[in-house]
Amino acid sequence: MRHYEVVFLVHPDQSEQVPAMIERYRTMIESAKGAIHRLEDWGRRQLAYPLNKVHKAHYVLMNIECELDTLRELESAFRFNDAVLRSLVIKRKHAVTTPSPLVKEAEEKSAAPTPSAPEIEGVDIDAAEPASPDQI
């Protein structure tokens, strides 16, 4: 079996259907003795340019391992689903299981502590004296 990276874009009005679509594609792959190594739902994101007057789309990334017949069936499902705006399939040499840079960045942002008050190094804001008019 070969490894593939699949990205598909779903119309933003159909975002509620994405979990059902993912499950349908998952069963299609797994019923043909394939495997999904990485599945990331990137959510709604801005497009680089409008597609059919649509400016945003729901992105989904999958790294799969399957036979060629299964891949063709999956591509056919993308082609005949009106909710899928675009899809891209890339052949990979081995399975990719690490999180994508987009997910890593989102995890780092959520893990970073947010400062509660504006702080300036070495200066206590509350203890600073207001400047007099002749110092300005």
Side-chain angles (χ1 to χ4, degrees), residues 6-15 17-18 21-22 25 40-52 54-62 77-79 81-89:
V6 180
V7 177
F8 61 96
L9 284 69
V10 180
H11 195 283
D13 293 344
Q14 308 296 323
S15 287
Q17 295 180 5
V18 170
M21 292 170 67
I22 291 172
Y25 300 144
E40 295 177 357
D41 186 351
W42 291 346
R44 231 183 248 192
R45 302 186 57 82
Q46 185 76 28
L47 294 170
Y49 57 90
L51 297 172
N52 299 329
V54 175
H55 298 280
K56 289 188 175 190
H58 196 105
Y59 285 69
V60 178
L61 168 75
M62 294 191 301
F78 291 151
R79 194 174 304 117
N81 188 345
D82 292 336
V84 177
L85 297 174
R86 292 281 193 276
S87 65
L88 175 70
V89 178

Side-chain angles (χ1 to χ4, degrees), residues 112-120 125:
T114 56
S116 59
E119 297 178 13
I120 301 173
I125 296 174

Side-chain angles (χ1 to χ4, degrees), residues 96-128:
V96 179
T97 57
T98 59
S100 66
L102 189 68
V103 171
K104 285 181 187 175
E105 181 182 314
E107 288 175 354
E108 288 172 2
K109 282 185 180 179
S110 65
T114 56
S116 59
E119 297 178 13
I120 301 173
E121 269 187 53
V123 177
D124 186 9
I125 296 174
D126 298 328

